[in-house]
Amino acid sequence: MAGNEQILKAKFNDYVQSLETYIMFQIKAKQLALTEELTKKNRKPIALSMGAPVDMVPMFAVETLKSVLDDPSIHTYSTPKGETYFLEAVARRMKKRFGVELDPKKEVYSLIGSKEGIANLIRELINPVVDEKERDIIMCPNPGYASYKEMVKVSGGLFWGVPLLEENNYQPDLENELTKILNAGYKKEKIKALIINYPNNPLGVTCDFDYMQKCVDFCLKNNIILISDNAYAEIYFDENDKPRSILECKGAKDIAVEFHSFSKPYAMTGWRMGFVCGNETIVSMLGKLKSTIDTGIFKALQLTGAKLLDSKEGDEYINEANRKFKHKIQKFVDGLNSLGYSVKMPKASFYLWVKIPPRYNGDSKKFADDLLEKSGIVIVPGEAFGDLGKGYVRMSITASESSLDEVIERMKADGHNF
């Protein structure tokens, strides 16, 4: 049996064989293996690992979905592009929220969650080759969303990590990165795309609008596609400092697309709904691939999503969720700082990027393992998000307030001070 398994695995391409299991699933497996033991010592696991809101989805969405399910036509095939009512609702939402004008017929496309859309676009941009110096390059945040690197790897491309560091205010000099790429012996024409992600996962940082414009200008000057992953645009804590859209920038629609998700703002992680919008050519090329591999989102979900985007109930849900996030995160930040950590309240997202105690000598995996094995606290080591994550861990502050209070109490009791 084992021999047969190796024979079958060998049939798969080298890129797939080199993939790592997604870090969140690795952590979940370890958590499950330890749950019984931890529960016996009053340390039942509390997850601060997955970036998934735990609140109930908007009841407006639940009731809307129920109301449309009796329509026989709602159960037929959709199209990958999306139903007209969904695309038009997206265009209205982008206009209302960001002041961005979009043609729903040409500049908007539905997605089965933004993750698949980004992965499929990367797949389209890369021509896989054996010679590393000839590989197509995707410039990605480092630290950054853990799946970016694997998406590039499985497509046969070269991941180039762009450093997001405190000393560059998490807004790196892109011309300097281009020089580094060329000095490393790679060809400029092999750089296919730059991915930006503000508000950022895992750092929780935002960028100013001037920097967004610099990203657009850089990509226009160098003929590089700009991909904005804006999944956390609606999770913010100051009404006067909301995250912006890359499509607000001058010239953005000549070079850029932006990805949005229903998962984070509406806690609809299981509904698998998102959209891409922006440059007509890039949107249509992504659609060309998707037309061969999926037949779109369930119409009932699209209709529900369209109504939610247009509704006052959807806005009220976001506002209330942000109010609760702000309260929980600030309280948790205060708790960590009382233990000697130095953590700042983020402007957006529900992530905290936490420097680990010096006694760990930068080994964030060891710190994360200690918190799980001793205290049942589930977090993610910084290296999961890139080599520049060494010495940090990411905490996702989506658990209940009582669970977050318990985390601080356990860290205090079990000696996890800074």
Side-chain angles (χ1 to χ4, degrees), residues 138-211:
I138 308 294
M139 299 172 67
C140 303
N142 179 18
Y145 177 42
S147 287
Y148 293 149
K149 188 172 185 177
E150 301 304 305
M151 289 173 180
V152 175
K153 183 194 294 184
V154 77
S155 300
L158 180 73
F159 171 94
W160 185 274
V162 179
L164 273 63
L165 303 168
E166 187 174 5
E167 48 262 42
N168 62 25
N169 197 29
Y170 309 104
Q171 299 175 93
D173 184 330
L174 297 175
E175 290 291 351
N176 185 49
E177 284 307 304
L178 175 58
T179 299
K180 288 181 183 178
I181 292 172
L182 299 180
N183 288 343
Y186 297 101
K187 299 174 183 175
K188 184 177 178 179
E189 61 268 25
K190 291 295 181 180
I191 306 173
K192 293 295 187 73
L194 165 70
I195 297 177
I196 63 170
N197 172 220
Y198 297 103
N200 179 269
N201 170 19
L203 303 175
V205 298
T206 58
C207 73
D208 57 53
F209 189 69
D210 286 345
Y211 183 73

Side-chain angles (χ1 to χ4, degrees), residues 400-412:
S400 68
E401 186 173 346
S402 60
S403 293
L404 294 171
D405 290 343
E406 175 67 16
V407 167
I408 298 298
E409 287 302 313
R410 290 184 190 181
M411 290 182 70
K412 183 178 181 180

